[in-house]
Amino acid sequence: MCDSCGCGQPSDAVTFRKPGEMEHHHHDHTHDHDHGSGRTIDIKQDVLQQNNMLAQRNRGWFEAKNILALNLVSSPGSGKTTLLVRTITHLKTDIPISVIEGDQQTLTDANRIAATGAEVVQVNTGHGCHLDAEMVRKALQKLAPAENSIVMVENVGNLVCPALFDLGEASKVVIISVTEGDDKPLKYPTMFAASDLCIINKIDLLPYVDFDVDKCEKAAVQVNPELEFLRVSATTGEGMDQWYDWLRARRV
Ligand SMILES: Nc1nc2c(ncn2[C@@H]2O[C@H](COP(=O)(O)OP(=O)(O)O)[C@@H](O)[C@H]2O)c(=O)[nH]1
Ligand SMILES: [Mg+2]
């Protein structure tokens, strides 16, 4: 966990909004506000341990409602929102999908999702660079997803911290785009180790960039031999049918 970027920020800096709602802050002080210098490692372990307990509670909640929850993680701009918009539009009549959008600021992505007709709650984390299980729990109260549906959580764009925070999801899905470089699995192994599926996006741009898909997949398998791969273009739709099949197969 990174201390320098505001991971341990107080929870009253986090906001939850549906498109069209005014920004408001809640004042639920459940976090440890001790920023003393001598106990950094203990505090990190406490934060992660507390998060894991809340994540298990979320997991039980999802299971009770037979909801498939997926945590989409990537660096900024890899195409998470584009992938979600296309997926929701395609599966609209087939599977109900609602979304929790994580970003530091703005309702931009929530508005893109809302335009599809799907229910969405935007979590603005302020300085925070990841979502945690408590934020997801509160967002779920507002979202009220239907039983037997899919909840997609678009995490804050960051290949580091979101890897450490279990949200109660069934799986993390890591998205990497071909403009980012095929060495990312080796540079950010924790994220690839924590994920069940790796979506390689923007394959329509392969003719224009120096990105070796096989090399990228081999590097990712080194850190996670169980990792599955899909090669897609969220803008042209190439490869997206395999993603829809993967989603259908993961629903019980
Ligand atoms: N060429 C191409 N561009 C894409 C693709 N997917 C997303 N983009 C573009 O990449 C940019 C970032 O996409 P966005 O969905 O906002 O990424 P996010 O930050 O991960 O949510 C946008 O300009 C998208 O149009 C793709 O498959 N191919
Ligand atoms: Mg986005």
Side-chain angles (χ1 to χ4, degrees):
M1 178 166 34
C2 46
D3 290 322
S4 57
C5 61
C7 270
Q9 65 169 337
S11 61
D12 59 3
V14 179
T15 64
F16 301 80
R17 279 189 290 170
K18 287 189 170 181
E21 284 182 0
M22 296 294 288
E23 184 170 345
H24 65 276
H25 293 268
H26 64 87
H27 296 279
D28 180 356
H29 289 260
T30 54
H31 284 219
D32 188 346
H33 283 216
D34 182 350
H35 298 295
S37 57
R39 296 167 44 235
T40 314
I41 291 168
D42 288 347
I43 290 168
K44 279 181 193 172
Q45 283 173 349
D46 282 354
V47 167
L48 288 177
Q49 211 168 22
Q50 193 190 0
N51 181 74
N52 285 344
M53 285 189 324
L54 291 171
Q56 281 302 83
R57 202 161 75 177
N58 288 347
R59 188 164 283 112
W61 191 89
F62 286 129
E63 281 170 9
K65 291 182 177 290
N66 196 31
I67 290 172
L68 173 64
L70 298 174
N71 181 0
L72 270 55
V73 289
S74 80
S75 47
S78 65
K80 296 181 294 303
T81 313
T82 308
L83 182 94
L84 282 177
V85 166
R86 193 173 192 109
T87 303
I88 292 164
T89 307
H90 184 85
L91 294 177
K92 208 179 245 177
T93 53
D94 197 0
I95 309 173
I97 300 178
S98 58
V99 180
I100 296 173
E101 277 291 344
D103 271 310
Q104 289 196 327
Q105 304 286 339
T106 84
L107 272 170
T108 309
D109 284 357
N111 287 332
R112 288 167 68 189
I113 299 293
T116 68
E119 286 295 321
V120 56
V121 169
Q122 178 82 50
V123 183
N124 284 137
T125 60
H127 294 295
C129 58
H130 63 272
L131 295 176
D132 65 28
E134 176 68 357
M135 294 176 199
V136 167
R137 187 184 70 79
K138 289 189 173 133
L140 284 170
Q141 287 172 353
K142 213 170 167 58
L143 190 66
E147 290 187 11
N148 308 311
S149 65
I150 294 180
V151 171
M152 299 282 196
V153 181
E154 178 177 339
N155 217 313
V156 180
N158 174 358
L159 274 177
V160 184
C161 299
L164 299 175
F165 284 81
D166 183 5
L167 306 179
E169 72 274 358
S171 291
K172 284 188 178 67
V173 175
V174 60
I175 297 160
I176 177 172
S177 58
V178 303
T179 50
E180 293 170 47
D182 49 29
D183 55 358
K184 289 301 165 293
L186 296 177
K187 289 184 171 176
Y188 302 97
T190 313
M191 185 59 88
F192 289 82
S195 300
D196 291 326
L197 175 67
C198 174
I199 294 181
I200 299 175
N201 188 33
K202 307 195 188 181
I203 56 168
D204 53 294
L205 298 179
L206 277 174
Y208 314 105
V209 292
D210 185 16
F211 185 98
D212 184 333
V213 182
D214 292 332
K215 186 176 155 200
C216 178
E217 291 186 357
K218 268 189 200 134
V221 164
Q222 275 182 42
V223 295
N224 182 356
E226 309 295 325
L227 193 62
E228 293 180 67
F229 297 94
L230 294 175
R231 303 175 180 189
V232 311
S233 168
T235 50
T236 69
E238 192 181 347
M240 289 292 285
D241 283 342
Q242 299 162 62
W243 163 237
Y244 305 142
D245 288 345
W246 189 91
L247 287 174
R248 288 192 188 96
R250 291 301 302 270
R251 289 182 84 214
V252 214

